[in-house]
Amino acid sequence: LKNVGLQMDPKLEASDSVDAGLVIRVEPPSGTAVPLESKVTVVFSVGKKSIDIPKVQGQDLASATATLKAKGFTKFLKEEQPSDRIEKDLVIDTDPAFGESAAKDDQITIYVSTGVLTKDMVDVVGMDEATARTALQTAGFLSVSTIEGSTSDPARVGKVIGQSPRSGPWDLSKPVTLTIGVGSSTSSSSSSSSSSSSAVSSSTTSH
């Protein structure tokens, strides 16, 4: 423009059809006769218009898609993920996420909850505690707690004699409780000691 005696007045504008940095149009249009030193507006593209992503977390897929369409988005991809926060069949999040922006023809990924992640329980009754913990953790049950339970069978001492839950599907984020067998001889010895002490005490009192 300077070469033909005109001044350029640059403007920026979003465009879905013209790449960023390229000229969208000239005002007045090319070929129009104007006086020397006139200002000519040259509109440059900043790329596609960005639209803010709306919040759709907690909605079902149909409602979330409708909300996004109302904003102008047209391309969607559904992905499923387990979640212990969001109920089954409801939207966990989107990519791009709420608060970010995207062009209307960009693909929006919608992550839908499949509910909590469960797995069939591993039966570890009869194993020693260390082996039982390893078996459960290898299967994905990372939270394992133990309590003691009395047993009269010496072969079951130190072994898992009870398990809750023992079978069926179980939420991997919830704890599994193991009952570890302890001998009943400890409590019997305690009682015997107590009786002996009482007898000695009585005898001393008599003297």
Side-chain angles (χ1 to χ4, degrees), residues 168-181:
W170 188 247
D171 181 349
L172 290 178
S173 66
K174 291 185 177 180
V176 180
T177 303
L178 304 179
T179 303
I180 308 300

Side-chain angles (χ1 to χ4, degrees), residues 102-120:
K104 67 180 182 181
D105 59 352
D106 284 349
Q107 179 175 276
I108 309 299
T109 302
I110 305 172
Y111 295 99
V112 178
S113 172
T114 56
V116 295
L117 184 59
T118 62
K119 196 170 183 180
D120 286 338

Side-chain angles (χ1 to χ4, degrees), residues 11-203:
K11 301 287 185 184
L12 299 176
E13 188 176 293
S15 173
D16 293 333
S17 57
V18 179
D19 291 339
L22 300 182
V23 175
I24 300 173
R25 64 183 181 277
V26 177
E27 299 172 350
S30 178
T32 304
V34 292
L36 288 174
E37 299 302 319
S38 293
K39 280 190 176 180
V40 176
T41 301
V42 181
V43 182
F44 291 92
S45 172
V46 293
K48 295 177 180 180
K49 181 181 180 182
S50 292
I51 305 170
D52 290 338
I53 304 292
K55 184 176 182 179
V56 295
Q57 185 184 63
Q59 297 181 15
D60 59 49
L61 180 61
S63 299
T65 303
T67 300
L68 289 163
K69 282 182 176 179
K71 283 286 188 177
F73 297 108
T74 57
K75 295 180 182 177
F76 309 103
L77 175 65
K78 174 189 173 185
E79 293 281 354
E80 294 185 339
Q81 288 184 347
S83 174
D84 56 5
R85 303 179 297 109
I86 304 295
E87 290 181 21
K88 187 175 183 293
D89 296 328
L90 299 184
V91 173
I92 302 171
D93 207 347
T94 58
D95 182 22
F98 166 61
E100 296 179 350
S101 60
K104 67 180 182 181
D105 59 352
D106 284 349
Q107 179 175 276
I108 309 299
T109 302
I110 305 172
Y111 295 99
V112 178
S113 172
T114 56
V116 295
L117 184 59
T118 62
K119 196 170 183 180
D120 286 338
M121 181 53 61
V122 178
D123 188 345
V124 296
V125 171
M127 299 180 185
D128 62 71
E129 182 181 343
T131 304
R133 281 182 178 274
T134 299
L136 288 166
Q137 290 171 353
T138 299
F141 301 100
L142 303 182
S143 178
V144 181
S145 61
T146 60
I147 58 174
E148 292 183 344
S150 180
T151 177
S152 58
D153 183 355
R156 301 181 73 194
V157 173
K159 302 287 183 66
V160 178
I161 61 173
Q163 174 182 348
S164 178
R166 186 168 179 177
S167 62
W170 188 247
D171 181 349
L172 290 178
S173 66
K174 291 185 177 180
V176 180
T177 303
L178 304 179
T179 303
I180 308 300
V182 294
S184 53
S185 57
T186 306
S187 54
S188 297
S189 296
S190 254
S191 296
S192 297
S193 269
S194 256
S195 296
S196 297
S197 296
S198 295
V200 171
S201 178
S202 296
S203 177

